[in-house]
Amino acid sequence: MPERQGGETLLFLTDEQLRQGIEAMFFAYQGFTADPDRILATMAYGRAHHRAVHFIARIPGTTVNNLLAILGVTKQSLNRVLRTLIEDGLVESRVGTVDKRERHLYLTEAGKSLEQKLSDAQRGRMRTAYRNAGPEAVAGFRKVLEAMMDPEMRRRYQAMRDKGT
Amino acid sequence: MPERQGGETLLFLTDEQLRQGIEAMFFAYQGFTADPDRILATMAYGRAHHRAVHFIARIPGTTVNNLLAILGVTKQSLNRVLRTLIEDGLVESRVGTVDKRERHLYLTEAGKSLEQKLSDAQRGRMRTAYRNAGPEAVAGFRKVLEAMMDPEMRRRYQAMRDKGT
DNA sequence: TTGGAATGTCAACAAAGCTGACGTAATGTG
DNA sequence: CACATTACGTCAGCTTTGTTGACATTCCAA
């Protein structure tokens, strides 16, 4: 019973449909973080460490400032996490060669090993979800997620994506 | 150049593709919570209050225990949030009639008003994302999110969804 | 009727976010 | 060169939101 008010998509946009989308995001995110969280709980690390390690793996040599912008936290908050990772020998911080104020961040072998472990767990769930939903659904999934990002984050995301592909 | 290894979907499942999905979830969730967070920051509330208020609105009369299971936190953590909401007159807690151990939770008028405000903000972004992505993408989006949930949460989600629709 | 299970509350603590202030080194600019 | 700015680190202190442990009340079943 669409009332053909002008666009074919209008039927989707009832508050109820939107609310279901909101709840789907909430419950899916729970699942999304559950597996790595379980691993992290056995060590002295939390989700914040996971995020840092993930993006250092993704962008080796990234600066503290860049990581800050990606994660959207304050430097004090990130610094606490980074300090423990460096102390524990998972992350290496090298003074920049061209600009010596910058610190470039790299994973050590131990860091790569942890990242791999966490990443494997998280990818496992993602792989299963992708398989069960099928390729068309996956394309739609990514399209909506991109549309939901803040513009600046979308820029960052797309830049990373295009570099990796 | 798919190598037709057995399924048409195999091409999607490179680690790189999965990693992009993971990052899309991360950045999208940032956006997803950004608008309500901004509103909450102007009051003495946080994301935990939002979640509680959302599901009490969604399931009026729900018990503390049920809310606990949905939110996936400890009862002590939820209790703190509920206490402030009750003190501030946003939530009403009624002792159960059949089982007096249970507390049934309801939003007051003030609670409904706050819920509406937060919900409007969050739905606004969701609506824009849905519009930009199109109805097919939305279907895929929801399909993948459902596949990503823990089975128990998926059950809960679907029950709520089917009741609301 | 009594003991265990379920429900919810209080207390104390931990992780991870925040603001503000400050120091240092390097860089850029008038 | 002098001075402002940038990048980073750190200290102190606070807030939110998670945790475990102990405990009161209520219900139910042996």
Side-chain angles (χ1 to χ4, degrees):
Chain A
M1 311 70 154
E3 294 187 19
R4 18 174 66 267
Q5 294 182 346
E8 56 188 348
T9 71
L10 274 180
L11 188 61
F12 278 105
L13 303 181
T14 64
D15 280 3
E16 175 59 28
Q17 288 284 334
L18 294 168
R19 187 179 276 267
Q20 286 175 18
I22 287 169
E23 285 164 5
M25 272 298 278
F26 172 72
F27 288 120
Y29 204 79
Q30 275 190 350
F32 174 70
T33 56
D35 303 317
D37 279 359
R38 253 188 299 274
I39 296 173
L40 291 158
T42 69
M43 327 180 188
Y45 296 128
R47 208 177 284 178
H49 300 84
H50 181 194
R51 291 198 283 258
V53 162
H54 173 100
F55 285 106
I56 295 173
R58 178 65 151 181
I59 319 167
T62 187
T63 64
V64 172
N65 238 357
N66 188 42
L67 203 50
L68 236 45
I70 289 173
L71 298 177
V73 298
T74 59
K75 62 175 177 177
Q76 293 89 334
S77 191
L78 175 58
N79 193 257
R80 190 192 310 127
V81 167
L82 234 34
R83 190 165 41 210
T84 71
L85 290 173
I86 292 169
E87 278 170 7
D88 295 353
L90 301 181
V91 168
E92 193 191 345
S93 166
R94 300 186 201 152
V95 174
T97 51
V98 18
D99 186 335
K100 289 177 194 161
R101 290 171 305 178
E102 295 179 337
R103 303 298 141 88
H104 298 272
L105 303 171
Y106 300 88
L107 293 186
T108 63
E109 286 309 313
K112 286 178 191 171
S113 158
L114 172 62
E115 198 280 329
Q116 193 65 39
K117 201 166 155 187
L118 296 171
S119 200
D120 281 350
Q122 199 158 38
R123 275 201 307 264
R125 182 180 295 248
M126 192 64 80
R127 188 182 341 253
T128 305
Y130 274 22
R131 282 229 176 91
N132 290 343
E136 265 189 62
V138 169
F141 165 72
R142 296 190 34 175
K143 202 167 178 187
V144 175
L145 289 186
E146 280 194 45
M148 211 171 345
M149 298 175 194
D150 273 337
E152 194 182 330
M153 288 306 176
R154 180 159 47 238
R155 246 192 353 87
R156 290 179 190 285
Y157 165 74
Q158 288 170 345
M160 269 191 333
R161 183 198 58 189
D162 296 343
K163 190 166 284 182
T165 303
Chain B
M1 308 72 154
E3 293 186 20
R4 17 176 65 267
Q5 295 180 346
E8 56 187 348
T9 71
L10 274 180
L11 189 61
F12 280 104
L13 302 181
T14 65
D15 279 4
E16 176 58 28
Q17 289 283 333
L18 294 168
R19 188 178 275 267
Q20 286 175 18
I22 287 169
E23 285 163 6
M25 273 297 279
F26 172 72
F27 288 119
Y29 203 80
Q30 274 189 350
F32 174 70
T33 57
D35 302 317
D37 280 359
R38 254 188 298 275
I39 296 174
L40 290 158
T42 70
M43 327 180 187
Y45 296 128
R47 208 176 285 177
H49 299 85
H50 181 194
R51 291 197 283 256
V53 163
H54 174 99
F55 285 106
I56 295 172
R58 179 66 150 180
I59 318 168
T62 186
T63 63
V64 173
N65 233 1
N66 188 42
L67 204 49
L68 235 47
I70 289 173
L71 298 177
V73 297
T74 59
K75 58 182 177 176
Q76 294 87 337
S77 189
L78 174 59
N79 192 258
R80 190 194 310 120
V81 167
L82 280 180
R83 189 165 43 210
T84 72
L85 290 173
I86 291 168
E87 278 169 8
D88 296 353
L90 301 181
V91 168
E92 194 191 344
S93 166
R94 301 187 201 150
V95 174
T97 52
V98 19
D99 186 336
K100 289 177 193 160
R101 290 172 303 180
E102 295 180 338
R103 302 297 139 89
H104 297 272
L105 304 170
Y106 300 88
L107 292 187
T108 64
E109 286 309 313
K112 285 178 190 171
S113 159
L114 173 62
E115 197 281 328
Q116 192 67 38
K117 201 166 157 188
L118 296 171
S119 201
D120 281 350
Q122 198 158 40
R123 276 200 307 264
R125 181 180 295 248
M126 191 66 78
R127 184 179 346 235
T128 305
Y130 274 22
R131 281 229 176 91
N132 291 343
E136 265 189 63
V138 169
F141 165 72
R142 297 191 33 176
K143 201 167 178 186
V144 174
L145 289 187
E146 280 195 45
M148 211 170 348
M149 298 174 194
D150 273 338
E152 195 183 329
M153 287 305 175
R154 180 160 46 237
R155 244 191 355 88
R156 291 179 189 284
Y157 165 75
Q158 288 170 345
M160 270 193 330
R161 183 197 60 189
D162 296 343
K163 189 167 285 184
T165 301

